[in-house]
């Protein structure tokens, strides 16, 4: 039995309140859409979404279809794969039952769920908007290439084929940077006219001032694509040579054990917090003089680090550890947010030893950053800007579906 057709369905595995940044933004999107039509959110739930919505008086007029989560970040791989399949099937069932005219789907999770949305849209003549936060086939392909397994090459091609179908049939694509848009158009599936750029919002920052405690901090996924091995090598060499600056790291990932080992080796200079809530992550950033933004150059073609928005809004100087011509390097220089350092140990050692710049708080450089930096960037990274942008794209897709 089918229900009356709904206007919008938002599919997002990690929604509010679990995701207090993009998840909060999408909650506001759903609330706005619900003022003009029937809107539903399909998400995974471990913490009682309906109770939270009722208690905090959120999501007025929004319908929710929470799918019980079978796994978490500490679960075994098989359990997580089964959980993904379960969520994918649940999404397809809800779409068939509710038959929305417009669907929003992001790369959360990638590939399978977007493919299911594209299949539904084809069967029921609906429209969908694809929010490409990361171009997963290509980004995953970087990791696959490092592993040098033949079967992974064929798996990558299959993933790219699936994602190509989703991209080709979307009413509109939302992505983060021109570099990511160019990577999509090079496939030959779409033109730049199909793509809209919307910045991810910055994480909320504490209102209370935070005393400086660290010289440098890194907050985010501790993975190989974030150049964590390079950072560890440079920091270890700097401290072994007698350096006395303090470093802070927060975040989980494949390199977390190595960061823990570095912290144990230099307990007076390196502090590793592991995975922390967004609020704690913001405090660590505010307690630092520099926010480190390391990333593989090739990754910049397919993604943009979400922590960059929070770094910019925090007012802290950013040291981007990547090539000067990458999207991240150009972004830091364009908005006068800090410095770009070549991704090698010697360049990082020079930076830590202040051979390139006087890093004192009252130096000319920091006064210049305080006076000229950021510009209107903070407004562009607000939740309001994000919400308005996504709502306008979804309304445009609705107009197309009515034509």
């Amino acid at each position: 039995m089918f229900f009356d057709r709904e206007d919008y369905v938002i599919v997002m595995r990690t929604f509010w309140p679990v995701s207090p940044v993009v998840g909060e933004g999408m909650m506001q999107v759903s609330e706005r859409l619900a003022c003009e039509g029937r809107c539903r959110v399909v998400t995974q739930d471990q913490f009682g979404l309906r109770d939270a919505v009722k208690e905090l008086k959120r999501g007025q007029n929004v319908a929710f279809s929470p799918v019980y989560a079978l796994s978490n970040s500490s679960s075994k791989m098989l359990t997580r794969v089964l959980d993904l399949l379960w969520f994918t099937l649940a999404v397809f069932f809800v779409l068939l039952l509710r038959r929305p005219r417009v669907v929003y789907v992001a790369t959360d999770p990638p590939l399978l769920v977007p493919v299911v949305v594209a299949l539904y849209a084809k069967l029921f003549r609906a429209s969908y908007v694809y929010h490409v936060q990361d171009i997963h086939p290509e980004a995953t392909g970087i990791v696959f290439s490092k592993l040098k397994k033949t079967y992974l090459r064929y798996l990558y091609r299959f993933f790219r084929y699936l994602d190509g179908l989703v991209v080709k049939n979307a009413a509109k694509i939302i992505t983060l940077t021109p570099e990511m848009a160019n990577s999509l158009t090079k496939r030959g599936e779409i033109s730049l006219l199909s793509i809209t750029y919307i910045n991810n919002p910055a994480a909320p920052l504490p209102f209370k001032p935070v005393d400086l405690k660290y010289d440098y901090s890194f907050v985010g996924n501790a993975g190989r694509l974030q150049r964590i091995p390079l950072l560890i090598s440079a920091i270890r060499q700097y401290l072994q040579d007698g350096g006395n600056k303090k470093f802070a790291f927060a975040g989980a990932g494949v390199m977390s054990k190595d960061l823990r080992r570095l912290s144990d080796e230099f307990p007076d200079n390196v502090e590793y917090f592991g995975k922390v809530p967004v609020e704690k992550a913001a405090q660590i950033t505010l307690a630092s003089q520099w926010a480190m933004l390391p990333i593989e150059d090739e990754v910049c073609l397919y993604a943009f680090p979400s922590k960059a928005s929070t770094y910019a809004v925090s007012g802290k100087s950013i040291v981007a550890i990547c090539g000067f011509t990458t999207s991240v390097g150009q972004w830091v220089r364009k908005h006068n947010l800090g410095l770009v350092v070549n991704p090698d140990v010697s360049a990082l050692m020079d930076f830590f030893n202040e051979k390139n710049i006087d890093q004192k708080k009252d130096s000319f450089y920091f006064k210049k950053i305080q006076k000229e930096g950021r510009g209107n960037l903070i407004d562009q990274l607000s939740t309001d800007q994000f919400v308005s942008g996504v709502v306008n794209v979804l309304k445009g897709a609705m107009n197309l579906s009515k034509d």
Side-chain angles (χ1 to χ4, degrees):
M1 177 181 177
F2 292 105
F3 295 90
D4 290 340
R5 194 167 194 184
E6 295 183 340
D7 297 303
Y8 301 97
V9 163
I10 293 171
V11 179
M12 188 174 184
R13 192 179 189 184
T14 311
F15 191 65
W16 176 96
V18 177
S19 170
V21 185
V22 177
E24 166 62 31
M26 290 310 300
M27 169 62 94
Q28 293 187 29
V29 168
S30 68
E31 290 170 335
R32 286 201 196 180
L33 293 175
C35 294
E36 303 179 20
R38 300 179 65 187
C39 180
R40 177 175 298 274
V41 173
V42 186
T43 183
Q44 278 203 312
D45 183 23
Q46 284 181 322
F47 306 100
L49 174 63
R50 285 197 173 102
D51 291 338
V53 165
K54 186 176 180 180
E55 180 181 350
L56 298 174
K57 298 180 180 179
R58 297 299 306 273
Q60 187 174 3
N61 298 324
V62 179
F64 292 94
S65 293
V67 180
Y68 182 75
L70 305 176
S71 67
N72 53 46
S73 58
S74 61
S75 299
K76 293 182 179 179
M77 181 58 69
L78 178 59
T79 305
R80 293 160 85 173
V81 170
L82 291 174
D83 194 18
L84 173 59
L85 293 174
W86 158 240
F87 181 68
T88 303
L89 289 172
V91 168
F92 194 50
F93 178 74
V94 172
L95 293 177
L96 291 178
L97 207 59
R98 301 292 177 175
R99 295 172 298 135
R101 293 179 174 83
V102 174
V103 183
Y104 165 96
V105 64
T107 46
D108 174 31
L111 292 175
L112 283 183
V113 171
V115 165
V116 159
V117 170
L119 177 61
Y120 159 77
K122 193 76 172 177
L123 292 173
F124 287 84
R125 302 179 67 183
S127 299
Y128 64 93
V129 171
Y130 189 25
H131 196 159
V132 183
Q133 298 275 5
D134 305 284
I135 306 176
H136 272 272
E138 284 82 348
T140 305
I142 297 173
V143 179
F144 284 179
S145 66
K146 294 177 185 293
L147 298 176
K148 298 180 179 179
K149 301 287 187 181
T150 303
Y151 75 90
L152 291 177
R153 186 164 64 248
Y154 293 106
L155 191 60
Y156 161 71
R157 290 176 183 174
F158 178 62
F159 286 167
R160 181 165 167 171
Y161 170 75
L162 290 179
D163 195 62
L165 292 177
V166 180
V167 169
K168 182 179 179 179
N169 292 289
K172 200 76 173 178
I173 303 290
I174 301 173
T175 193
L176 306 177
T177 66
E179 287 76 10
M180 292 176 68
N182 288 333
S183 295
L184 290 172
T185 57
K186 281 180 181 178
R187 295 175 176 179
E189 297 147 357
I190 55 169
S191 71
L192 287 173
L193 296 175
S194 303
I195 301 174
T196 297
Y197 308 120
I198 299 179
N199 291 310
N200 278 340
L205 297 172
F207 289 105
K208 294 182 180 179
V210 178
D211 294 333
L212 281 178
K213 186 177 179 182
Y214 310 105
D215 295 284
Y216 311 100
S217 67
F218 170 87
V219 174
N221 181 46
R224 292 185 182 88
L225 299 182
Q226 286 73 34
R227 297 191 186 273
I228 298 301
L230 171 67
L231 265 183
I232 290 174
S233 297
I235 292 170
R236 177 175 282 115
Q237 188 171 329
Y238 166 76
L239 294 176
Q240 287 175 342
D241 290 349
N244 60 1
K245 292 188 174 179
K246 296 186 182 299
F247 300 81
F249 290 87
V254 295
M255 302 303 300
S256 57
K257 291 182 180 179
D258 299 83
L259 288 173
R260 180 70 67 191
R261 195 175 299 119
L262 183 71
S263 176
D264 293 340
E265 187 178 349
F266 302 99
D268 295 332
N269 298 92
V270 181
E271 196 166 355
Y272 176 55
F273 294 89
K275 187 176 182 179
V276 298
V278 171
E279 295 80 7
K280 177 64 175 177
Q283 288 180 340
I284 293 169
T285 299
L286 290 174
S288 310
Q289 193 161 331
W290 288 85
M292 296 187 290
L293 190 58
I295 189 168
E296 290 272 4
D297 288 9
E298 191 177 358
V299 175
C300 296
L301 298 172
Y302 313 122
F304 195 85
S306 57
K307 56 182 167 286
S309 298
T310 302
Y311 282 179
V313 172
S314 74
K316 298 298 175 179
S317 289
I318 298 172
V319 53
I321 303 164
C322 58
F324 283 78
T325 59
T326 62
S327 59
V328 172
Q330 291 177 346
W331 180 77
V332 168
R333 296 167 68 193
K334 174 184 177 182
H335 296 289
N336 197 26
L337 301 173
L339 289 178
V340 181
V341 174
N342 279 325
D344 61 67
V345 171
S346 61
L348 277 169
M349 290 283 289
D350 287 346
F351 174 70
F352 295 149
N353 287 310
E354 302 187 29
K355 289 188 177 180
N356 299 319
I357 188 169
D358 181 2
Q359 297 179 20
K360 294 184 179 64
K361 200 175 170 184
D362 58 351
S363 69
F364 169 78
Y365 170 75
F366 279 99
K367 287 180 179 178
K368 182 174 182 289
I369 284 288
Q370 191 72 23
K371 182 178 180 181
E372 300 178 11
R374 277 50 179 181
N376 66 346
L377 181 62
I378 292 177
D379 291 334
Q380 296 174 20
L381 301 175
S382 69
T383 300
D384 284 345
Q385 286 279 354
F386 173 83
V387 172
S388 296
V390 175
V391 167
N392 288 337
V393 171
L394 288 170
K395 286 184 176 179
M398 177 62 77
N399 291 333
L400 287 175
S401 71
K402 292 177 179 178
D403 291 344

